[in-house]
Amino acid sequence: MPQAGHATSPADTPGRQTLSAAQEAARMDAVRRYDILDTPPDGAFDRVATMAARLFKVPVASVTIVDEDRIWFKAAHGLEGVNEISREPGLCGSAILSDETLVIPDTLTDPVAFNNGLVAGPMGVRFYAAAPIITGDGHRLGTVNILDTRPRLITEDDTATLADLAAIVRDELEMRLAALNALRAEQERRREQEEARQRAEQDKNAIEAFASTLQRTLLPPALPVVPGLELACHYATASPQNVGGDFYDVFPLDGARWAFFLRLVP
């Protein structure tokens, strides 16, 4: 049997008036963690909004994320061209103040909702119900909403169904977050590998430069001029990284004799 229940609004329910600054900061940290705001349309969320409209036979249904100063629509059925609205109390802005499904059978009789822009404006919303999208650690990111332009009643089973749709959205967000985290971890792994490769390349270049300098110090900077003898040489290292023991030299022994020395290390 349909039942009216009562219009649950933050104005008449103790403990649901506002979120403390600390609670709101933690909630916004959770919103940012899921990295969902201003993302392109997604079929999974669109299907939830369409399913909600079909199940409850309402003209408008949506999946929203509540930002600091706006309500952003991740998916909307019956709201063509609307991406976001201001964060006014009474509807979406009030639905995230509790873990319970918010049901307002007639918005004009609700002390908070009656003044909301969707109610008082051209859209003329008269019925509103929303289930909060609650993360595993208890933060309310946004809502799954159904709206109608006439007052109506829903059953307890209906509110449970709306909560189930919100849970489906939560599960989809969790899967999306897991995929994003896996992608970020892979990107970080590749970044670390590239940095390690660059460091290894720099170390290799430094070793080669050091080895080359050391090898040159083992050789005479220039061959001496020996009367009656033409000297020339060419020296190539076996490895640019390793310093061997090969070297050569030409030096005088006395006024008439010169010595040539060559050492090759196998």
Side-chain angles (χ1 to χ4, degrees), residues 145-166:
N145 314 272
I146 52 174
L147 301 85
D148 204 343
T149 54
R150 59 183 179 84
R152 57 184 295 176
L153 305 174
I154 62 174
T155 67
E156 290 183 2
D157 285 345
D158 289 334
T159 61
T161 298
L162 198 58
D164 286 341
L165 291 175

Side-chain angles (χ1 to χ4, degrees), residues 118-152:
L118 295 179
V119 177
M123 190 170 176
V125 173
R126 291 291 302 276
F127 165 81
Y128 178 82
I133 301 165
I134 307 173
T135 66
D137 51 355
H139 297 294
R140 297 179 288 273
L141 305 179
T143 60
V144 174
N145 314 272
I146 52 174
L147 301 85
D148 204 343
T149 54
R150 59 183 179 84
R152 57 184 295 176

Side-chain angles (χ1 to χ4, degrees), residues 152-209:
R152 57 184 295 176
L153 305 174
I154 62 174
T155 67
E156 290 183 2
D157 285 345
D158 289 334
T159 61
T161 298
L162 198 58
D164 286 341
L165 291 175
I168 290 173
V169 171
R170 187 267 320 279
D171 292 344
E172 188 68 29
L173 287 171
E174 293 293 349
M175 287 190 292
R176 182 182 180 277
L177 179 61
L180 282 174
N181 287 340
L183 176 62
R184 290 164 179 161
E186 176 63 16
Q187 290 173 334
E188 178 65 16
R189 184 185 67 82
R190 292 184 179 183
R191 184 188 65 80
E192 291 175 351
Q193 286 182 333
E194 177 61 21
E195 289 180 350
R197 187 195 65 77
Q198 291 177 356
R199 286 195 299 270
E201 186 68 23
Q202 290 170 355
D203 291 344
K204 175 185 174 184
N205 293 338
I207 290 172
E208 289 182 358

Side-chain angles (χ1 to χ4, degrees), residues 5-6 16 47-48 52 65 67 71 74 76 92 106 136 138 154 163 170 189 197-198 205 236 239 253:
H6 68 281
R16 290 182 54 188
R47 282 190 291 273
V48 169
I65 302 297
D67 199 357
I71 310 294
K74 177 57 183 173
C92 298
D106 187 350
I154 62 174
R170 187 267 320 279
R189 184 185 67 82
R197 187 195 65 77
Q198 291 177 356
N205 293 338
S239 169
L253 294 177

